[in-house]
Amino acid sequence: MSADLSNPAPSGGAASHDAGVLVLGGTPIGNLADATDRLKHYLATADVIAVEDTRTLRRLASGLDVQTRGRVVTNHDHNEAARSAQIVEAVEAGQVVLLLSDAGMPTVSDPGFAAAAAVADADLPVTVAPGPSAVLSALAVSGLPTGRFTFEGFLARKGSDRTQRLKSLQDEQRTMVFFESPHRTAATLADFVEYFGPERRAVVCRELTKLHEEVLRGTLAELQRWAEEHEVRGEIAIVVAGAKEPTPEAVENLTEAVEELVAKGVRLKAAAGQVAEAHGVSKRDLYQAVLAARSDEEE
């Protein structure tokens, strides 16, 4: 008989379970008032609490006026592999393990995935106590389309990994959500201008749910100028509108502009990329349209 975790005992009560479970707990991303009753319950009753930083846990429990009774262990980027095996053992032994990241939802651009995957692979229970998410919060307040989106997390800081990722996203039609450090925000927005175009709509979300929350909307060029002129501080999420789906007519009308660049010595793929970026259409579609036009002329 497994524990009924859908209706937990009141906060402060004893944990009642016959089988272990890993609980992924969402924690406030700034405002402690966003903590759920379920999170408070598990903080008070879990047998084991795995956290990135024990100091963050102490501040959280103190702010919520919750006294933890479970054994506290660290689970972070440097010890996840070894810790995951221990978490599996604890769940197998019938313990409730609460896994937290410093803020937001574990596993989402935060530690926790290795443990969740290990427990799931062991065919043991994994559940979630949902809570605040910087990804969804930024998406919701952005004012950009939310029906389809992709979370890209932190880009590689430099090199081919960063370049290839940005190139792969040039034609992405879904709204994109990124995380960035404050001191790299201006550079990242400059890269977005280069790869997505200066007129692409975007939103910079700073310090969401905190006292100095700020949401700035505009084109990528406008936001780049803002970041360059100000000292950017706090937790940053950047939401970028997806590429517009071009009409066949719009792409076909640009083939001559590509051929003009080719006549000047620019390689075809580079020429298609330049024209596509300038007009906000798919480089791939424009390249194919040029090849099709050339084929028609040869017939």
Side-chain angles (χ1 to χ4, degrees):
M1 177 178 176
S2 61
D4 180 7
L5 297 173
S6 60
N7 293 294
S11 178
S16 175
H17 54 87
D18 297 313
V21 63
L22 173 63
V23 182
L24 303 175
T27 57
I29 59 176
N31 193 324
L32 283 181
D34 293 334
T36 65
D37 287 341
R38 285 189 72 200
L39 175 64
K40 296 175 186 177
H41 163 74
Y42 284 122
L43 281 169
T45 63
D47 300 297
V48 179
I49 304 177
V51 298
E52 282 189 76
D53 190 322
T54 57
R55 294 166 298 182
T56 302
L57 173 63
R58 286 197 295 269
R59 288 194 295 269
L60 176 65
S62 175
L64 298 177
D65 195 24
V66 173
Q67 184 172 356
T68 62
R69 71 168 184 83
R71 178 167 57 94
V72 177
V73 299
T74 58
N75 181 75
H76 46 66
D77 292 335
H78 303 295
N79 72 346
E80 267 200 295
R83 185 66 72 197
S84 296
Q86 296 170 1
I87 289 175
V88 169
E89 291 175 0
V91 175
E92 283 180 329
Q95 296 185 316
V96 172
V97 179
L98 174 63
L99 193 152
L100 308 174
S101 60
D102 282 347
M105 181 56 62
T107 79
V108 181
S109 207
D110 270 334
F113 172 75
V119 174
D121 288 345
D123 199 26
L124 295 167
V126 181
T127 191
V128 61
S133 164
V135 180
L136 296 181
S137 297
L139 181 69
V141 304
S142 70
L144 297 175
T146 60
R148 298 174 64 240
F149 71 94
T150 174
F151 173 54
E152 296 297 325
F154 287 93
L155 293 169
R157 291 189 175 186
K158 57 184 178 180
S160 60
D161 288 346
R162 182 180 180 91
T163 301
Q164 291 304 315
R165 173 65 66 84
L166 288 167
K167 285 182 177 179
S168 73
L169 294 172
Q170 284 181 312
D171 299 331
E172 175 59 66
Q173 295 178 11
R174 295 172 293 181
T175 299
M176 298 173 283
V177 184
F178 300 85
F179 286 167
E180 191 49 278
S181 62
H183 70 278
R184 293 193 55 82
T185 297
T188 292
L189 288 169
D191 284 345
F192 288 172
V193 167
E194 178 182 351
Y195 287 93
F196 303 150
E199 298 304 312
R200 185 81 70 92
R201 302 296 299 178
V203 179
V204 173
C205 302
R206 191 181 72 83
E207 294 288 87
L208 284 173
T209 79
K210 301 182 178 72
L211 179 63
H212 299 292
E213 174 179 298
E214 187 174 21
V215 178
L216 299 109
R217 300 178 176 87
T219 65
L220 283 172
E222 291 169 340
L223 293 171
Q224 179 193 354
R225 286 195 294 272
W226 165 81
E228 291 174 342
E229 294 170 358
H230 295 78
E231 183 181 359
V232 181
R233 295 181 177 180
E235 301 288 336
I236 304 294
I238 305 173
V239 188
V240 182
K244 293 182 180 178
E245 183 174 6
T247 64
E249 294 80 8
V251 174
E252 291 171 3
N253 292 338
L254 295 173
T255 57
E256 290 186 8
V258 175
E259 294 290 16
E260 289 176 3
L261 288 176
V262 172
K264 294 178 181 178
V266 180
R267 296 181 64 179
L268 176 56
K269 284 190 175 181
Q274 290 181 33
V275 175
E277 181 179 335
H279 293 271
V281 301
S282 164
K283 179 174 68 175
R284 186 184 303 106
D285 290 346
L286 181 54
Y287 177 75
Q288 293 298 328
V290 173
L291 293 181
R294 288 182 175 183
S295 178
D296 290 342
E297 290 175 1
E298 293 173 357
E299 293 179 353

